[in-house]
Amino acid sequence: FNSLNHDMTLPEFKFIWYMEYSHRMWGRVVGLAYILPAAYFWRRGWLTRPLKGCVLALCGLVCFQGLLGWYMVKSGLEEKPDSYDIPRVSQYRLAAHLGSALVLYSASLWTGLSLLLPRHKLPETQQLLRLRQYAHGTTALIFLTALSGAFVAGLDAGLVYNSFPKMGERWIPDDLLAFSPMLRNIFENPTTVQFDHRILGIASVTAVTALYLFSRKIPLPRRTRMAVTSLLAVACMQ
């Protein structure tokens, strides 16, 4: 309020307060939804030894995610007497918070599907091996793109240029490497952060499309084909 939002009213403050409060409460509900059933299943002896390790890891990730969220919010409340920037959380901590959430969600989904759906017994052909490797590489690229989006959000980098495919009147903006040392631009220069996110986004859609086209050449189970087709549809929508 002192630094930026001098005209904020009490109802406007209540709105953002309730958004943050709801987010925290929902996070705690998620934690209970993990830990309470896990403790019940463990006590009843329904978990195998490998599954116990998986459950412990997931519960640990839930707790870590909550601590990381607190650590992220704390960075937005710290006094910065030598800075005239808009008060905001650290883009590094925001990316870490989002990244750990994606890992938690993906691990939960993978564990659940592994228990619900039997694994297909497919012949280990060279084509299938290449498809699996390419799928893993595409996953890593999508994850990196999502993390770069956290840096865009943390720096308000989406407000710098709002034209596409060019950034303003240029394909490569003049201030792309304005910061020194050069490595700082990747994480702290809003122009570079937006540029990187655009490139990674285009690369992700291209990789998903290539994965889909390659999968069409291989005899795959119906469930796998549905997964690859759904991935392409979601990538285009995104």
Side-chain angles (χ1 to χ4, degrees), residues 148-182:
S148 74
F151 281 91
V152 172
L155 291 171
D156 285 336
L159 303 176
V160 180
Y161 292 98
N162 59 2
S163 56
F164 187 85
K166 290 185 177 182
M167 298 178 72
E169 298 298 321
R170 304 178 65 89
W171 289 102
I172 300 177
D174 294 329
D175 54 340
L176 193 67
L177 299 175
F179 289 13
S180 181
M182 190 179 296

Coordinates of all heavy atoms in Angstrom, one line a residue, residues 148-182:
S148 N 9.8 -21.6 -17.2 CA 10.1 -20.3 -17.7 C 8.9 -19.4 -17.6 O 9.0 -18.2 -17.5 CB 10.5 -20.4 -19.2 OG 9.4 -20.7 -20.1
G149 N 7.7 -20.0 -17.6 CA 6.4 -19.2 -17.4 C 6.4 -18.6 -16.1 O 5.8 -17.5 -15.9
A150 N 6.9 -19.3 -15.1 CA 7.0 -18.7 -13.7 C 7.9 -17.5 -13.7 O 7.6 -16.5 -12.9 CB 7.5 -19.8 -12.7
F151 N 8.9 -17.5 -14.4 CA 9.8 -16.3 -14.5 C 9.1 -15.2 -15.2 O 9.2 -14.0 -14.8 CB 11.1 -16.6 -15.2 CG 12.1 -17.4 -14.3 CD1 12.1 -18.8 -14.3 CD2 13.0 -16.7 -13.5 CE1 13.0 -19.4 -13.5 CE2 13.9 -17.4 -12.7 CZ 13.9 -18.8 -12.7
V152 N 8.3 -15.5 -16.2 CA 7.5 -14.4 -16.9 C 6.5 -13.8 -15.9 O 6.4 -12.6 -15.8 CB 6.7 -15.0 -18.1 CG1 5.8 -14.0 -18.6 CG2 7.7 -15.5 -19.2
A153 N 5.9 -14.6 -15.1 CA 4.9 -14.1 -14.1 C 5.6 -13.3 -13.0 O 5.1 -12.3 -12.6 CB 4.1 -15.3 -13.5
G154 N 6.7 -13.9 -12.5 CA 7.4 -13.2 -11.4 C 7.9 -11.9 -11.7 O 8.1 -11.0 -10.9
L155 N 8.3 -11.6 -13.0 CA 8.9 -10.4 -13.4 C 7.9 -9.5 -14.2 O 8.2 -8.4 -14.7 CB 10.1 -10.6 -14.3 CG 11.3 -11.2 -13.7 CD1 12.4 -11.6 -14.7 CD2 11.9 -10.3 -12.7
D156 N 6.6 -9.9 -14.3 CA 5.6 -9.2 -15.1 C 6.1 -9.0 -16.5 O 5.9 -8.0 -17.2 CB 5.3 -7.9 -14.5 CG 4.4 -8.0 -13.3 OD1 3.7 -9.0 -13.2 OD2 4.4 -7.1 -12.4
A157 N 6.9 -10.0 -17.0 CA 7.5 -9.9 -18.3 C 6.5 -10.0 -19.5 O 6.8 -9.5 -20.6 CB 8.5 -11.1 -18.5
G158 N 5.3 -10.5 -19.2 CA 4.3 -10.5 -20.2 C 3.8 -9.1 -20.6 O 3.2 -9.0 -21.7
L159 N 4.1 -8.1 -19.8 CA 3.7 -6.7 -20.1 C 4.7 -6.0 -21.0 O 4.4 -4.9 -21.4 CB 3.5 -6.0 -18.8 CG 2.5 -6.6 -17.8 CD1 2.5 -5.8 -16.5 CD2 1.1 -6.7 -18.4
V160 N 5.8 -6.6 -21.2 CA 6.9 -5.9 -22.0 C 6.6 -5.8 -23.4 O 6.6 -4.7 -24.0 CB 8.3 -6.6 -21.7 CG1 9.3 -5.8 -22.5 CG2 8.6 -6.6 -20.3
Y161 N 6.2 -6.9 -24.0 CA 5.8 -7.0 -25.5 C 4.5 -7.7 -25.6 O 4.4 -8.8 -25.0 CB 6.9 -7.6 -26.3 CG 8.2 -6.9 -26.4 CD1 9.3 -7.2 -25.6 CD2 8.3 -5.8 -27.4 CE1 10.4 -6.4 -25.7 CE2 9.5 -5.1 -27.5 CZ 10.6 -5.4 -26.6 OH 11.7 -4.7 -26.8
N162 N 3.6 -7.2 -26.3 CA 2.3 -7.9 -26.5 C 2.0 -8.2 -28.0 O 0.8 -8.3 -28.3 CB 1.2 -7.1 -25.8 CG 1.0 -5.7 -26.4 OD1 1.7 -5.4 -27.3 ND2 0.1 -5.0 -25.9
S163 N 3.0 -8.3 -28.8 CA 2.8 -8.6 -30.2 C 3.5 -10.0 -30.5 O 4.4 -10.4 -29.9 CB 3.4 -7.5 -31.1 OG 4.7 -7.3 -30.8
F164 N 2.9 -10.7 -31.5 CA 3.5 -12.0 -31.9 C 3.3 -12.2 -33.4 O 2.3 -11.8 -33.9 CB 2.7 -13.1 -31.1 CG 3.3 -14.5 -31.3 CD1 4.4 -14.9 -30.5 CD2 2.8 -15.3 -32.3 CE1 4.9 -16.1 -30.7 CE2 3.3 -16.6 -32.4 CZ 4.4 -17.0 -31.6
P165 N 4.2 -12.8 -34.1 CA 5.4 -13.4 -33.6 C 6.6 -12.5 -33.3 O 7.5 -12.8 -32.6 CB 5.8 -14.4 -34.7 CG 5.3 -13.7 -36.0 CD 4.0 -13.0 -35.5
K166 N 6.5 -11.2 -33.8 CA 7.6 -10.3 -33.5 C 7.4 -9.7 -32.1 O 6.3 -9.7 -31.6 CB 7.6 -9.1 -34.6 CG 8.1 -9.5 -35.9 CD 8.2 -8.3 -36.8 CE 8.7 -8.7 -38.2 NZ 8.8 -7.5 -39.1
M167 N 8.5 -9.2 -31.6 CA 8.4 -8.5 -30.3 C 8.6 -7.0 -30.6 O 9.7 -6.5 -30.9 CB 9.5 -9.0 -29.4 CG 9.3 -10.5 -29.0 SD 10.6 -11.1 -27.9 CE 10.2 -10.4 -26.4
G168 N 7.5 -6.3 -30.7 CA 7.5 -4.9 -31.2 C 7.7 -5.0 -32.7 O 6.9 -5.6 -33.4
E169 N 8.7 -4.3 -33.2 CA 8.9 -4.2 -34.6 C 10.1 -5.1 -35.0 O 10.5 -5.2 -36.1 CB 9.3 -2.8 -35.0 CG 8.1 -1.8 -34.8 CD 6.9 -2.2 -35.6 OE1 7.1 -2.6 -36.8 OE2 5.8 -2.0 -35.1
R170 N 10.6 -5.9 -34.0 CA 11.8 -6.7 -34.3 C 11.6 -8.2 -34.0 O 10.8 -8.5 -33.1 CB 13.0 -6.2 -33.5 CG 13.3 -4.7 -33.8 CD 14.5 -4.2 -32.9 NE 15.7 -4.9 -33.3 CZ 16.5 -4.4 -34.2 NH1 16.3 -3.3 -34.8 NH2 17.7 -5.1 -34.5
W171 N 12.3 -9.0 -34.7 CA 12.3 -10.5 -34.3 C 13.1 -10.7 -33.1 O 12.7 -11.5 -32.2 CB 12.9 -11.3 -35.5 CG 12.0 -11.3 -36.7 CD1 12.1 -10.6 -37.8 CD2 10.8 -12.1 -36.8 NE1 11.1 -10.9 -38.7 CE2 10.3 -11.9 -38.1 CE3 10.1 -13.1 -36.0 CZ2 9.1 -12.5 -38.6 CZ3 9.0 -13.7 -36.5 CH2 8.5 -13.4 -37.8
I172 N 14.2 -10.0 -32.9 CA 15.1 -10.1 -31.7 C 15.2 -8.7 -31.2 O 15.8 -7.8 -31.8 CB 16.5 -10.7 -32.1 CG1 16.3 -12.1 -32.7 CG2 17.4 -10.7 -30.8 CD1 17.7 -12.7 -33.1
P173 N 14.6 -8.5 -30.0 CA 14.6 -7.1 -29.4 C 16.0 -6.6 -29.1 O 17.0 -7.4 -28.8 CB 13.8 -7.3 -28.1 CG 13.8 -8.7 -27.8 CD 13.9 -9.4 -29.1
D174 N 16.2 -5.3 -29.1 CA 17.5 -4.7 -28.8 C 18.0 -4.9 -27.4 O 19.3 -5.0 -27.2 CB 17.5 -3.2 -29.1 CG 17.2 -2.8 -30.5 OD1 17.6 -3.6 -31.4 OD2 16.6 -1.8 -30.8
D175 N 17.1 -5.0 -26.4 CA 17.6 -5.1 -25.0 C 17.6 -6.5 -24.5 O 17.5 -6.8 -23.3 CB 16.6 -4.2 -24.1 CG 15.2 -4.6 -24.3 OD1 14.8 -5.2 -25.3 OD2 14.4 -4.3 -23.4
L176 N 17.8 -7.5 -25.4 CA 17.8 -8.9 -25.1 C 18.9 -9.2 -24.1 O 18.8 -10.0 -23.2 CB 17.9 -9.7 -26.3 CG 17.6 -11.2 -26.2 CD1 16.1 -11.4 -25.8 CD2 18.0 -12.0 -27.5
L177 N 20.1 -8.6 -24.3 CA 21.3 -8.8 -23.4 C 21.7 -7.5 -22.7 O 22.9 -7.2 -22.7 CB 22.4 -9.4 -24.3 CG 22.1 -10.7 -25.0 CD1 23.2 -11.2 -25.9 CD2 21.8 -11.8 -24.0
A178 N 20.7 -6.8 -22.2 CA 21.1 -5.5 -21.6 C 21.7 -5.6 -20.3 O 22.5 -4.7 -19.8 CB 19.8 -4.7 -21.5
F179 N 21.6 -6.7 -19.5 CA 22.1 -6.9 -18.2 C 23.5 -7.4 -18.2 O 23.9 -8.1 -19.2 CB 21.2 -7.7 -17.3 CG 19.9 -7.1 -16.9 CD1 19.4 -6.0 -17.5 CD2 19.1 -7.7 -16.0 CE1 18.2 -5.4 -17.2 CE2 17.9 -7.2 -15.6 CZ 17.4 -6.0 -16.2
S180 N 24.3 -7.1 -17.2 CA 25.6 -7.7 -17.1 C 25.8 -8.2 -15.6 O 25.4 -7.6 -14.7 CB 26.7 -6.6 -17.4 OG 28.0 -7.1 -17.3
P181 N 26.4 -9.4 -15.5 CA 26.9 -10.3 -16.5 C 25.8 -10.9 -17.4 O 24.6 -10.9 -17.0 CB 27.6 -11.4 -15.7 CG 27.0 -11.4 -14.4 CD 26.6 -9.9 -14.1
M182 N 26.1 -11.5 -18.5 CA 25.2 -11.9 -19.5 C 24.2 -13.0 -19.0 O 23.0 -13.0 -19.3 CB 25.9 -12.5 -20.7 CG 25.0 -12.8 -21.9 SD 25.9 -13.5 -23.3 CE 27.0 -12.1 -23.7

